[in-house]
């Protein structure tokens, strides 16, 4: 028992509960100092990993093709030679291509792909043809004879009319009826025999498989370069809409809640009607009645929009969503009225802390820095390997696929034992200690990304909680609140509770990284036949998903208690948990109903911006035909806008969600600490008291109220 409490007991005057932050700032102390130090050390290590990655990495390895000597086409001295040419495309038919991602044939960077078909033998005797042919040689053959040129592999044995594709030269294959042609010819000479054009298909297929992932990625990247400013405009519209809704909620909370509910129902209904019209219009369209299973996966999602089954699936999903929303509204209609009143009280709190409406912009800025640092570091780490050269040979060779050095390979023992072998670039790797532990650096990069992102989110939650708690516990809202409540709360959070924020975000990050590892294991076991292993993995994924949701919920309420009392994270989490358990009915009835209303608001903004983005980028309306960019996959900017809009709406609506959660937790604490008498009056406003006390009396039975009083009394005894 403190001296102050003893003085109150002697005088017989009951002590009124006052949160710790109302007193002088020096009354608070730093919490979870060990975790704070650990977090700072981890950040310093994260910066060191970034510097190490930026020193060794080179993003050009994933952007530009590489010739047999490991040089980048289109860069440096090869700036005017951006295309990669294969000496013998048929060598790409080897199964080793799919294992080592490299065709076992010499490759050179060229300015243009060959547009003529000829052999080395025929070109060597003609001056004009020979000058043209030498553009595709690795080095100037000079006056060497044809057999010597082929033996040293200075020039290709033949050229085939080709076209550039993904910065590489591929034969210009076509069809005459059912016969495959190359350069309008059914056959070609490889310098030794006459071959059919179809012999090139296998090599092109393997080379295409190797480049398929990069092809889709490059197309998506190209779509972003064409549409990024329109995406930003759509996201700016989302910001404006979110701000308008938040400001209107401040002044017209009751009306805006019902407007949001009606508009959400209307938007989903419009979606059902639009999909139904599309479904009916495709009735007689050719090929529209095939199933999605028959169609299979297509990187161009627009193909699915020409299938009736796609629109039927959209209709079913939207109809189920509409049904769930209407049923919930019917059963929660009385609770929604009370939640509307709670939103009005939250609007009054936001009115005293107007700067909180713009705090999500600060959170977005910090998260952008975290995401950018993680992304850049990941790219540089993945490209910080060194070129690896291996022995390639057309005949049997004991040294085949062994590592070699191209600089002295002609004088090496490998070359002596395998005269026809070559030392060619294979892939990027390395055997230094840095390269051996590269996977651990990637893991550290991912883990610190989760930790830093969760820390930024936690900082925002505690800052808003401290600001709104100062509103709740101020006896006179106009005079007793700090001049700058949000800045004061941010300062307290960083100065005293960085360790608590790091502790809570660390726990959440560990769970998230375990979920990532489970997803990785699941991906690796997709072809496994062990049903028990799949079942066990599915159970683990489900359990950790639930655990993550629970930890997020507990962290949020623990940060509120830290902001109020200034205690450490574990004690605050325990106090918040037991406080919520004693008021579990109120949590479900009021707090979660309010979350549902705010979720409808997010859904409305995402729906409005999503409809605009769909009509704009898909070109399904004449209004935007002149401004719509030409895209490979118009779903790329649409999905980006949808995800970005939800994150923006979530960020702005999180201000109200945090305000409601803070007021609710403060209300529960106020109800247990004070009794409403003159000596111990409630700190809640009259409006909040009218809303919550009536609902509390209706929600709690006399037995549950008695149990709550007993639990509260026992906790006070334990604290004393």
């Amino acid at each position: 028992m403190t001296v102050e409490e003893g003085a109150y007991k002697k005088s017989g005057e009951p002590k009124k509960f006052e949160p710790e932050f109302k007193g002088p700032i020096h009354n608070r102390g730093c919490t979870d100092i060990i975790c704070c130090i650990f977090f700072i050390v981890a950040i310093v290590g994260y910066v060191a990993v970034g510097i190490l990655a930026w020193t060794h990495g080179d993003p050009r390895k994933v952007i530009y093709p590489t010739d047999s000597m490991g040089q980048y086409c289109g860069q440096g001295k090869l700036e005017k030679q951006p295309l990669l040419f294969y000496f013998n495309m048929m060598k790409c038919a080897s199964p080793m291509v799919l294992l080592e991602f490299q065709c076992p044939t010499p490759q050179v960077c060229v300015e243009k792909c060959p547009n003529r078909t000829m052999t080395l033998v025929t070109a060597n005797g003609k001056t004009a043809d020979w000058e043209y042919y030498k553009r595709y040689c690795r080095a100037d053959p000079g006056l060497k004879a044809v057999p010597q040129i082929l033996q040293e592999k200075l020039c290709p044995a033949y050229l085939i009319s080709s076209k550039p594709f993904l910065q590489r030269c591929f034969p210009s294959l076509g069809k005459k009826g059912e016969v495959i042609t190359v350069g309008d010819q059914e056959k070609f000479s490889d310098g030794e025999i006459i071959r059919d054009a179809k012999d090139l298909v296998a090599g092109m297929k393997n080379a295409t498989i190797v480049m398929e992932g990069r092809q889709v990625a490059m197309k998506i990247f190209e779509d972003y370069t064409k549409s990024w400013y329109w995406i930003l405009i759509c996201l700016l519209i989302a910001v404006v809409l979110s701000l308008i809704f938040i400001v209107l909620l401040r002044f017209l909370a009751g009306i805006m809640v019902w407007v949001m509910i009606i508009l959400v129902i209307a938007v989903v209904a419009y979606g059902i009607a639009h999909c139904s019209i599309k479904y009916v219009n495709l009735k007689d369209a050719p090929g529209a009645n095939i199933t999605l299973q028959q169609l299979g996966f297509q990187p161009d999602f627009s193909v699915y929009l020409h299938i009736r089954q796609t629109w039927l699936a959209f209709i079913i999903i939207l109809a189920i969503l509409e049904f769930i929303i209407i049923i919930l509204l019917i059963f929660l209609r009385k609770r929604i009225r009370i939640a509307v009143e709670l939103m009005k009280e939250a609007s009054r709190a936001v009115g005293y802390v107007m700067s909180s409406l713009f705090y999500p912009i600060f959170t977005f800025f910090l998260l952008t820095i975290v995401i950018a640092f993680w992304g850049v570091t990941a790219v540089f780490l993945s490209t910080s390997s060194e070129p690896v050269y291996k022995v390639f040979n057309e005949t049997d060779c004991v040294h085949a696929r062994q590592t070699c050095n191209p600089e002295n390979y002609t004088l090496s023992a490998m070359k002596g034992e395998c005269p026809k072998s070559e030392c060619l670039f294979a892939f990027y790797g390395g055997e230094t200690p840095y390269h051996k532990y590269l996977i651990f650096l990637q893991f550290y990069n991912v883990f610190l990304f989760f930790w830093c992102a969760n820390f930024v989110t936690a900082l925002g939650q505690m800052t808003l909680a401290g600001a709104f708690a100062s509103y709740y516990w101020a006896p006179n809202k106009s005079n007793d609140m700090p001049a700058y409540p949000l800045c004061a709360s941010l300062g307290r959070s960083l100065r005293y509770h960085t360790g608590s924020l790091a502790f809570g975000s660390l726990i959440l990050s560990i769970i998230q990284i375990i979920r990532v590892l489970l997803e990785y294991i699941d991906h690796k076991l997709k072809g496994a036949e062990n049903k028990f292993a799949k079942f066990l993995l599915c159970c683990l994924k489900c359990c950790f998903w639930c655990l993550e949701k629970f930890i997020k919920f507990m962290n949020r309420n623990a940060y509120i208690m830290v902001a109020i009392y200034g205690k450490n994270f574990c004690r605050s989490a325990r106090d918040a948990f037991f406080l919520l358990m004693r008021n579990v009915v109120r949590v479900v009835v009021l707090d979660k109903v309010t979350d549902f209303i705010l979720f409808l608001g997010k859904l409305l903004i995402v729906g409005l911006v999503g409809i605009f983005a769909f009509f704009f980028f898909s070109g399904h309306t004449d209004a935007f035909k002149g401004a719509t960019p030409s895209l490979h996959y118009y779903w790329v900017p649409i999905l980006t806008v949808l995800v970005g809009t939800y994150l923006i709406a979530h960020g702005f609506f999180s201000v109200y969600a945090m305000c409601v959660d803070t007021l609710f937790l403060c209300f529960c604490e106020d109800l247990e600490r004070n009794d409403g008498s003159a000596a111990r009056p409630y700190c809640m406003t009259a409006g909040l008291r009218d809303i919550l006390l009536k609902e509390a009396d209706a929600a709690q039975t006399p037995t549950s109220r008695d149990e709550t009083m007993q639990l509260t009394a026992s906790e006070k005894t334990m604290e004393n």
Side-chain angles (χ1 to χ4, degrees), residues 651-662:
F652 282 101
F653 277 86
S654 66
V655 174
Y656 263 83
M658 201 67 206
C659 181
V660 170
D661 288 348
T662 303

Side-chain angles (χ1 to χ4, degrees), residues 242-254 256 347 656:
S242 300
L243 274 174
I244 290 172
F245 269 86
I246 290 295
V247 172
L248 289 176
L249 273 176
R250 162 66 185 91
F251 298 102
L252 302 168
M256 284 303 300
S347 296
Y656 263 83

Side-chain angles (χ1 to χ4, degrees), residues 11-69:
S11 63
E13 181 183 349
K15 179 180 180 292
K16 180 183 176 181
F17 168 73
E18 293 186 355
E20 189 175 329
F21 70 80
K22 282 188 64 181
I25 292 298
H26 65 263
N27 287 346
R28 281 180 180 251
C30 295
T31 55
D32 300 299
I33 298 174
I34 295 177
C35 198
C36 178
I37 296 172
F38 185 49
F39 181 65
I40 293 172
V41 172
I43 291 295
V44 172
Y46 195 23
V47 174
V49 169
I51 294 173
L52 192 65
W54 302 336
T55 304
H56 290 80
D58 189 351
R60 293 180 300 174
K61 294 174 184 176
V62 296
I63 299 175
Y64 301 102
T66 309
D67 68 5
S68 297
M69 300 305 295

Side-chain angles (χ1 to χ4, degrees), residues 420-461:
K420 294 186 177 181
S421 65
E422 282 192 287
C423 184
L424 303 177
F425 168 77
F427 53 84
Y428 288 103
E431 298 179 354
T432 65
Y434 170 77
H435 295 103
K436 288 180 180 178
Y437 294 104
L438 199 58
I439 184 66
F440 297 103
L441 296 179
Q442 286 281 23
F443 178 82
Y444 186 78
N445 182 37
V446 174
F447 180 73
L448 262 292
F449 164 71
F450 282 128
W451 197 358
C452 292
N454 290 326
F455 180 87
V456 170
T457 305
L459 176 63
Q461 291 174 346

